[in-house]
Amino acid sequence: MKTVTREAAEIDAPTRVLIIFPGALGDLMCLLPAIKAIAWRHRGSAIDLMARAELARFIVDRIDFVERRSRALSRAHSQAHSIDRREVSALFKASEEIEGSTCAFFSQFEAIYSFFAADDANFRRRLSESCSGTVTFHPFRPPGEGHVAAAYLRSVLSSSSIGALAEFSAIGQISLLEPLKGDLDSAAARLTALGIEPENFVAIFPGSGSTAKNWPAEKFAALATMLAGRAVFVLGPAEAALAPALGAHRFAILHSLELGAVAGIARLARAFVGNDSGAAHLAAAVGARGVVLFGPTDPARWGPLGKVAVIRRAPIASIEPAEVHAAICDLELEMGSHRAPKEA
């Protein structure tokens, strides 16, 4: 008869922890250290993420959990859940009785960390009653001073696990996400089709979720000209209108990429430049060095977590391409480059 060890049994059926988070890509990047702290606290458990459907799976597959065994468990067993699923909307109903399917879903978790609807008393009550374990509620965007990522960490760390704080204090010095091989292969194929050599280009992310945060397109074009053929523009759906103007300059352009390919492009880039955007947060999270341009938002509160240089000025249009170009050259020199880009 085959003997099953305790550890093997735990790997076959680990306990589960759920994190509920409603934010966009940039918000989720700021939550990553807190997710890793939760994984540290619940070592041996699978960590599930409930978020926007397209983001939840992306994060679960790529997050670099802190402890090796926890990482293996989480990647093998963790699941992504859409925050739009029926069981979530049922928590907002006013009726006293909770649907059986809602209880069945949430009762499978030994702990739930909800950054969603934390101020909704009905939601809090119904979620707590549906879960057989511990439920804690945390503000989506915590108030106070300092970086929002540090605020998320303080929210999830208690006195019983305060020792974890030192491990996560250097959140700006680590890669928070690890691109998959498929991400890197897809990115390399896209670059090859453009005649671009990996690790010898600068990725430019010219958009963001708000036009008020965007550096003018003509200044991005001037910067790309200074980079003398090494610039690759990465456009999302919101920046599609920029493609004709950029194409007229014969700049290399990638558009309509899945998040995995964007992560791969950032990882293969020598450096990146972008506005305060989800793409810039993602690039920093996968370990890319970059220059991030800020106007109305405060980088001390919302800056990407990683090895980035920040240039902030209001209005953002007053930042000059030569200044950004110089910052890129400084980054490359720090990386040991002997081939600083020449101005055209």
Side-chain angles (χ1 to χ4, degrees), residues 79-117:
Q79 298 178 24
H81 308 280
S82 171
I83 201 167
D84 295 320
R85 64 183 297 147
R86 180 174 176 275
E87 290 86 353
V88 178
S89 60
L91 295 174
F92 290 96
K93 292 182 177 179
S95 62
E96 289 296 321
E97 185 177 352
I98 302 175
E99 296 179 7
S101 61
T102 298
C103 288
F105 176 77
F106 289 109
S107 65
Q108 67 181 300
F109 301 103
E110 71 165 3
I112 297 177
Y113 295 79
S114 179
F115 296 84
F116 179 53

Side-chain angles (χ1 to χ4, degrees), residues 227-258:
L227 290 169
R230 297 194 307 130
V232 175
F233 282 88
V234 182
L235 306 182
E239 297 85 57
L242 299 178
L246 295 174
H249 289 278
R250 298 178 181 264
F251 296 136
I253 301 172
L254 294 171
H255 53 82
S256 302
L257 299 181
E258 294 184 354

Side-chain angles (χ1 to χ4, degrees), residues 74-318:
S74 294
R75 285 189 169 172
H77 295 273
S78 289
Q79 298 178 24
H81 308 280
S82 171
I83 201 167
D84 295 320
R85 64 183 297 147
R86 180 174 176 275
E87 290 86 353
V88 178
S89 60
L91 295 174
F92 290 96
K93 292 182 177 179
S95 62
E96 289 296 321
E97 185 177 352
I98 302 175
E99 296 179 7
S101 61
T102 298
C103 288
F105 176 77
F106 289 109
S107 65
Q108 67 181 300
F109 301 103
E110 71 165 3
I112 297 177
Y113 295 79
S114 179
F115 296 84
F116 179 53
D119 57 351
D120 187 302
N122 193 52
F123 179 92
R124 291 171 63 104
R125 177 185 64 80
R126 294 170 71 86
L127 181 59
S128 298
E129 291 177 358
S130 299
C131 178
S132 57
T134 302
V135 182
T136 56
F137 295 91
H138 311 269
F140 168 43
R141 288 178 173 168
E145 300 296 324
H147 201 285
V148 67
Y152 284 138
L153 270 176
R154 288 192 297 270
S155 181
V156 301
L157 290 175
S158 65
S159 58
S160 62
S161 59
I162 200 67
L165 187 59
E167 186 169 357
F168 297 102
S169 62
I171 55 177
Q173 304 300 319
I174 57 178
S175 295
L176 298 169
L177 291 177
E178 187 64 31
L180 303 176
K181 182 179 183 300
D183 299 336
L184 298 173
D185 290 345
S186 175
R190 296 272 192 152
L191 293 169
T192 298
L194 293 174
I196 301 293
E197 182 182 352
E199 301 183 9
N200 193 33
F201 71 96
V202 176
I204 297 180
F205 303 104
S208 76
S210 169
T211 56
K213 297 193 297 184
N214 290 350
W215 200 40
E218 61 270 19
K219 294 202 170 186
F220 274 117
L223 173 64
T225 300
M226 292 179 179
L227 290 169
R230 297 194 307 130
V232 175
F233 282 88
V234 182
L235 306 182
E239 297 85 57
L242 299 178
L246 295 174
H249 289 278
R250 298 178 181 264
F251 296 136
I253 301 172
L254 294 171
H255 53 82
S256 302
L257 299 181
E258 294 184 354
L259 282 178
V262 174
I265 291 291
R267 185 65 167 265
L268 294 178
R270 188 155 184 80
F272 76 90
V273 179
N275 303 304
D276 172 23
S277 65
H281 279 271
L282 173 57
V286 299
R289 291 176 177 265
V291 179
V292 185
L293 310 179
F294 278 78
T297 48
D298 182 3
R301 180 70 171 168
W302 300 106
L305 303 176
K307 301 172 184 177
V308 300
V310 170
I311 301 176
R312 185 193 188 192
R313 195 165 302 134
I316 193 171
S318 65

Side-chain angles (χ1 to χ4, degrees), residues 14-17 39 42-47 69-70 73-74 78 110:
T15 54
R16 313 191 72 80
V17 173
H42 298 277
R43 293 182 296 279
S45 296
I47 309 299
R69 182 166 171 269
S70 174
L73 279 168
S74 294
S78 289
E110 71 165 3

